[in-house]
Amino acid sequence: MGDEDAVDREIQDILLGLAKAVANTTAALVLQAKHVAASCPEQVDQNRIIGAATQCALATSQLVAVAKVVSSTIFNPSCQNHLIEAAREVARAVEGIVIECQQCAPNENQMRDLHAAAGDVTGSLNDLLNHIKDGTRDRVRENVQESAVDSIMTASDKLFASSGDPAEMVKQARILAQATAQLIQAIKGEADSATGDGHHNLLSAARALAEATSNLVETAKACASNPHDPTEQAKLRRAAEELKSVTLVAAGDAIRKKAIKKLENAAKLAASNATQCLAAAQNSGQYNSNMPMHDQLILECQSVADVIPKVVQGVKATIGDPESTASQLNLINVTEEFIQAGQPLVQVAKAAVPTVTDSASSMQLSSKTKAFAESLGELQTAAAKARDACGPLELESALDTIAMLSEELDEFQRAVDAFNLKPLPGDNAENAALQLSSATKSVGSSVAQLLTAASQGDAKYTGIAASGTASALRDLTQATRAVASTTNDREAQYRAIENAQSTVGLAYKVIEESRVLLSDPSNSQGQQRLHELSRQVTQSLTNCLNNLPGQKDVDDTIKAISELNKHLDDDNFPRCEKPYSEIQNELNAAASQLNEAVGQVVASARESSSTLAKSSKMYGQAYEDLVEAGLNIASQTGTREVRNQMITSIRTVSKTSITLLTTAKQYNADPTVPNSKSLLSNAARGVTEAINALIDSCTSAAPGQKECDNAVRAIQSMKSLLDNPSQPVTDLTYFECLENVMEKSKSLGEGMTGIANIAKKAEYEPFGEAVKGVSDSICGLVESAAQAAYLVGVSDPSSVAGKPGLVDQASLMRASQAIQNACNQLTNPSSSKQQVLSAATIIAKHTSSLCNTCRLASGKTSNPVAKRQFVRSATDVANATAQLVKEIKTLDQEYSSENKSICAEATQPLINAVQGLVNFASSSEYASVPAKISPKAREAQEPITSAAKGIIDGSCSMILSAKSLALNPKDPPNWQALANHSKCVSDSIKKLVSSIRDKAPGQKDCDNAVEKLNGCIRDIDQACLSVTSQNLAPRTDQSAKTFAEQTTNCAVEISDRIDDVRNSAKSEAERLGHSVNQMASYFQPLVNNCIGSASYLLNTKQQTLLLDQTKTVAECAIQLVLCAKDSGGNPKAVQLHGDVDESADQMKDALNDLTKTIENVATQAGVVSGLIDTITSAIAKAESADLPDASMSYVDYQTRMVSTVKEIARIAQEISTKNGENASSLGPLCSNLSRHYVQLAVDCRGACSSSSTPDVIPILRSAVQELGRASISAIKSASSVQALPNDTFAQKDLAESAKNVGDKVSQVLSALQAGSRGTQACINAASTVSGIIGDLDTTILFATAGTLHSENENESFADHRENILKTAKALVEDTKTLVAGAASSQEQLASAAQNAVSTILQLSEVVKDGASSLGSNNPEAQVMLLNAVKDVASALGDLIQATKSASGKSVNDPAMIYLKDSAKVTEINYESDWLTSDPEEELIRLVLTDKSERRDSDIYGKPFYFDSEEFCF
């Protein structure tokens, strides 16, 4: 810290000294100005000069004052900007003095002295500005060694990226050698001052660098001598890789320290800007016209505010202990967490700016958001570099952290022993339980990612996952302390700490085993050990949750149920002496009691853990009574088959009871788990169905009685779905819910009529079936009603809309549960053949859904490990499903117990595969943000839920009436009761259908939006009238710049929401209202700001154009909203979707026209904030991944990106040319630059998604983002030049920025080239083949002229025959590999192309030698042989071109089909079985049957045949 303070003081002293130098030179200038003023004859001129001199003195005084204030914080960009602006004010004042003095026409000597003094001031200002820009802490502390290391890293990356371009590779190798020489000298100098081992180690490092550099120089020379030799290029690349590795070893500490220091500075700046952004967001609340937007903004602010203290602590820790690897990695982790939290805040804050009505608050929020966004971008870059520098240390650091956590847990245990473990402020039992539940999920997810990364051999992501695991374990440790300190049960305290210790210890072993597996990822035993340890971690985490208050009581009940199960295996049941009818009554009473206990468990799961504990105990007692009654009946049953069926039914009740209690326990621990409420309701229904099955098998009653009781229990179990529907119940859309309700209503009506008719006829067996059908219809109807109520709640404008994640975890859980239930049905011995086939259908449906989910997730994620894992999970699920379906087909053909057992065994791999996918996808990184239903939305749900509850109550009463009617069909009161209850059910159904129709989401919102838009059009019409009458006066509430900026912001926000309206109108009714409201909320600000912008325009035509375009956008918006209302989010209203798409496209076109007009107006006024925001947004979007477009390959994206970046480079060059000459033209150029960069960012996403080279993806994305930041810097500099065309400092900044854009363009081009090494190799190969053909043409000319002869007169064609055939055979194999490379990776394609070129080059040489050996007296044979090899080369060139075009394309793409036609195929498998082309066969034929063979008797007449594998003679 002392050295750092000394450096800081040195920087401050230099800064203040330079400021004083400016003051001294300015004083001299002012003195010269006074001399000039004294010689002026006119008093007016004297006064002007004195005034200019006074202004210069004041500006200088201001500069010195600012320098003193910001000297201690000069590393902050805002402080630097303040000081730079003060310096520019001095420069402008100096220019003003010179101009005023020149107007007085003084003598030459005075003017010479004045110009000299002004030059001195300019020089001192330049020195000050250079120090401000270059004199940061990193630059001051940067020594030769660090500079050389940076050069080595940059040049090596460029060399790797320029594979296939030998000239560029050699150039970068030269730069590498020069930088390494500097580094070696620096290390030797450091070694001279070191002693002992340090001296020896430094000299060893220098020696290793020297050897690696020597090797690089030699390979570079060889590559320069043979530029088209792929082998030499590969050697150069390997030499550069070796040099980079040696450099990292030699200067690893310096690189890491520098990266961490930059990260510290970036983190401090980002935290500071975040705090200011939070304050601005809070202050804007009272002026925000869109309260849902403000509520969302506050939520994002809270997320960022929670992370800021972690960032501050992380920075303090690294500053306090710079050598601590754990502190460094912790800082990296918290900054990445901060970035993830900050990016949504930036997006929401930008969206909220136009809705803030107070101009001061709006400007403050806008400026603070921009500053925060810029600092986040710098922080992201610094974090990525720090992660790369510290990556190899992550595993060791994670192990160290976990060891420290183990010691911390030991301290907790000692505190418990001493009765000294007290809760921290804010700790309570409920919060502690939530923290522990969240921490266990994080640990489980991190371990799953660690397992995946280690199994794939990905060292980088294994380190990241290990670091994440350590961080999650830290949270688990703190949560464990909170749980233990908030309970008075010492045994529970010990158990909590012991379970946490077990988890920490197992996680330590997992990381150790992962480190071992990285060295050999294919080690199956290592993978098995890792999977076993992972399973143990999962079990240990479960134990941690089981120790929570209330959880233990539930576990005790589960254990008691499991113990009772053991008695079911004993056939010697105690015989009960009670009458059979009495036992049946006891069983019915126990069933009713257990069914009530089910409802109590469901209700208490939503309350406190103590309530759940009580209800679980009551449930255990009720279950025990049921089992006792069931065993009593079984003991009196003489038929063994019937008794076995009874015992199986009791086991089913036991299994479903355990599932219910486990689900209730999980829901109570964390109610926010996706689909948890639905799983709880399904578990409760499962118990009810099991109870009904038990009653069916164990009791005999009057006809229809059991069926009615079962139906009542099943219907009543649905009630819980209608209590506060806050989670989705099914995957049905709103209109599918309505259709399902209508369908079930129809079947219910038929069932009710059937019950009455059957009861009249006393047909008891159909009566039971009718009752069951009615029960199923009501259950399905209530389920759809609950889903519709949920969708109504989330669609209400007062509710907070959810955010989709990478994976829909709720849908994933529902599919998993459905597959689990279907597998249980398959394994149930009592399942019928029809039930098995039905279960197979369900499994096929949901596994297909899971595979599609994995496909979408794999396309969206930018994490290569996650991408591969989703693909692997989909493959595992698909394979397990295929095997299961195969066994089900066998079972269908022969329905036997043996086949059924085999089928049951085949379900386990599928269950394991699905569970593995669920575990991996349960990470919070992939989770959606659930919607939050407001109290007002609950009121909107009430009509639907009350109608559904009425259906439940009425149907239960109706079925009970039917039960009585079944016993006495002639009883009139029962008929009257049945009619009354049926009418009640019918009325409730009508009310439900009417409520669902009336509450259709988005309809009222669309009407309100249309009304608002019509109001906006009226305002525009009024403004147009004012323009026509020349009465549109300039608005004074804001400046023209602010109006233009806000107009651009509104246009961007509206444009971003058009697709949301489009998609929700076609298939997402619940999001229609939110999307329409959000889009419409920006129109009033848009219109107001457009009118304000128009008021500052001097040209009436421009005013009219701007207002007309704004009106067109509003009219298109009305059309879109009306079409969206008609479509309503109904996916089956396909006939209306075309209108929605057409309206959306028209609105986009109108908005694009308006945006261009605004940009032209804004850029002419020097307003570039809109352009900067556009580029910033594009940079952020470049980070995300897109699903690859099937019609576009990487080559297509690459071609388009190359064209775009070349245009960006041209624009940058033109900006540099216009600098200082035509400042007014800079605005349109900046606008073009912005548009081209947005297109580049979009193509970058597509290129990354379609690339087959994962290593290139981060390089390309980073290069595009760096180009975006350079473009922002150029646009800012251009804006400064526009404002001050004569400011030399601004011109200098613009020139540097434009040059930087050109450099970044080169990096993008290099990254693109690296991503297409295969296609680039094909291009180079085609060029080489073209040269070979030209050389053969020349040789053919010599042969035709009869001047081609061998140097050795004694050699014959027989000497070359074997070599020609051998080389031709090698070329056949190379062409096979080349064509297969079209469907392979870029590296494989590059290797195949290089090998094919090398072989054809060799073949041409040996054929030329063979032709020469024929002698000049046989020119015809020579020409025929040479033409044959020329044909081969020509065919190979065509094949290379076809392969290049087909690379990365799908099998059915025309380019791939053309490639197939370009070669001779023996089998359908185009990837592996390719034959030689016709020219190659012709060459071989000529070699063997040429006239020359008649001359050479030693080879004449030998038999020949050809196949795809070898040549035989």
Side-chain angles (χ1 to χ4, degrees), residues 53 76 108 164 229 311 338 354 385 456 608 646 974 1057 1097:
N76 187 302
E108 294 183 1
D229 190 344
V311 175
F338 181 70
K385 291 182 178 179
Q456 295 178 4
S608 64
M646 293 179 181
N974 283 338
R1057 282 158 178 77
L1097 296 176

Side-chain angles (χ1 to χ4, degrees), residues 1287-1300:
D1287 190 337
T1288 56
F1289 299 109
Q1291 293 174 5
K1292 180 181 177 183
D1293 290 343
L1294 179 57
E1296 292 178 354
S1297 299
K1299 181 178 181 298
N1300 191 29

Side-chain angles (χ1 to χ4, degrees), residues 826 830-840 888-895 900:
L826 286 175
S830 61
S831 297
S832 64
K833 186 175 181 180
Q834 185 60 38
Q835 288 174 323
V836 168
L837 295 178
S838 176
I888 291 175
K889 287 182 178 178
T890 304
L891 179 63
D892 181 42
Q893 295 171 358
E894 184 180 349
Y895 199 79
K900 196 168 186 180

Side-chain angles (χ1 to χ4, degrees), residues 7-24:
V7 173
D8 289 344
R9 284 195 298 272
E10 180 186 356
I11 296 171
Q12 295 175 28
D13 292 342
I14 294 173
L15 178 65
L16 293 175
L18 291 172
K20 291 178 182 178
V22 173
N24 293 334

Side-chain angles (χ1 to χ4, degrees), residues 268-314:
K268 287 190 286 188
L269 177 61
S272 174
N273 288 334
T275 305
Q276 297 177 40
C277 184
L278 297 183
Q282 292 284 351
N283 295 335
S284 67
Q286 56 185 325
Y287 305 109
N288 200 321
S289 60
N290 188 340
M291 290 315 296
M293 174 66 69
H294 180 68
D295 293 339
Q296 188 177 359
L297 178 61
I298 296 303
L299 287 175
E300 299 297 347
C301 287
Q302 185 59 49
S303 299
V304 173
D306 292 340
V307 186
I308 289 177
K310 297 181 182 179
V311 175
V312 174
Q313 291 297 326

Side-chain angles (χ1 to χ4, degrees), residues 579-867:
Y580 194 81
S581 59
E582 182 180 348
I583 300 175
Q584 278 190 338
N585 292 334
E586 290 179 356
L587 180 61
N588 285 329
S592 299
Q593 184 181 359
L594 184 62
N595 201 50
E596 291 177 4
V598 169
Q600 293 175 359
V601 168
V602 172
S604 62
R606 300 167 184 163
E607 300 176 6
S608 64
S609 56
S610 59
T611 308
L612 177 61
K614 293 177 183 177
S615 63
S616 64
K617 289 179 180 178
M618 294 173 58
Y619 186 92
Q621 184 60 48
Y623 174 80
E624 186 176 348
D625 295 342
L626 180 72
V627 171
E628 182 180 356
L631 291 178
N632 287 338
I633 289 183
S635 66
Q636 295 191 8
T637 302
T639 306
R640 185 177 185 84
E641 182 179 350
V642 175
R643 186 167 63 248
N644 289 340
Q645 186 177 359
M646 293 179 181
I647 299 303
T648 300
S649 299
I650 296 175
R651 283 199 180 99
T652 304
V653 175
S654 171
K655 186 175 182 179
T656 55
S657 296
I658 292 174
T659 301
L660 171 65
L661 293 172
T662 302
T663 307
K665 183 178 65 171
Q666 294 171 349
Y667 182 85
N668 184 259
D670 188 1
T672 62
V673 173
N675 208 42
S676 56
K677 185 177 180 181
S678 179
L679 291 176
L680 182 61
S681 299
N682 291 337
R685 290 172 59 187
V687 175
T688 300
E689 292 171 359
I691 292 172
N692 291 341
L694 175 62
I695 296 298
D696 289 340
S697 63
C698 292
T699 63
S700 59
Q705 301 302 293
K706 291 189 298 183
E707 289 81 356
C708 288
D709 291 338
N710 292 346
V712 169
R713 280 191 289 268
I715 293 171
Q716 288 179 342
S717 69
M718 301 295 296
K719 252 189 177 179
S720 61
L721 291 178
L722 301 172
D723 296 334
N724 187 19
S726 58
Q727 290 185 352
V729 179
T730 65
D731 291 324
L732 296 179
T733 64
Y734 192 83
F735 289 94
E736 287 173 342
C737 289
L738 178 59
E739 289 180 7
N740 200 38
V741 166
M742 298 290 291
E743 181 183 341
K744 296 297 182 183
S745 300
K746 182 179 179 181
S747 62
L748 177 58
E750 295 173 353
M752 291 163 59
T753 304
I755 287 176
N757 294 334
I758 292 169
K760 282 181 183 179
K761 299 176 183 179
E763 297 175 350
Y764 297 116
E765 184 174 345
F767 179 83
E769 294 177 0
V771 169
K772 188 176 185 305
V774 167
S775 172
D776 292 341
S777 297
I778 292 172
C779 290
L781 188 148
V782 172
E783 187 176 65
S784 296
Q787 175 70 2
Y790 164 75
L791 296 176
V792 167
V794 299
S795 67
D796 192 272
S798 59
S799 296
V800 179
K803 294 181 182 178
L806 185 67
V807 176
D808 185 352
Q809 294 181 344
S811 177
L812 196 68
M813 294 291 290
R814 286 195 292 274
S816 172
Q817 185 65 31
I819 293 171
Q820 180 70 50
N821 294 338
C823 289
N824 291 339
Q825 186 71 43
L826 286 175
T827 57
N828 190 344
S830 61
S831 297
S832 64
K833 186 175 181 180
Q834 185 60 38
Q835 288 174 323
V836 168
L837 295 178
S838 176
T841 303
I842 293 173
I843 289 173
K845 172 186 174 183
H846 288 286
T847 52
S848 175
S849 173
L850 289 181
C851 291
N852 188 54
T853 298
C854 290
R855 181 184 67 83
L856 294 175
S858 175
K860 291 178 181 178
T861 181
S862 56
N863 184 335
V865 173
K867 187 183 291 286

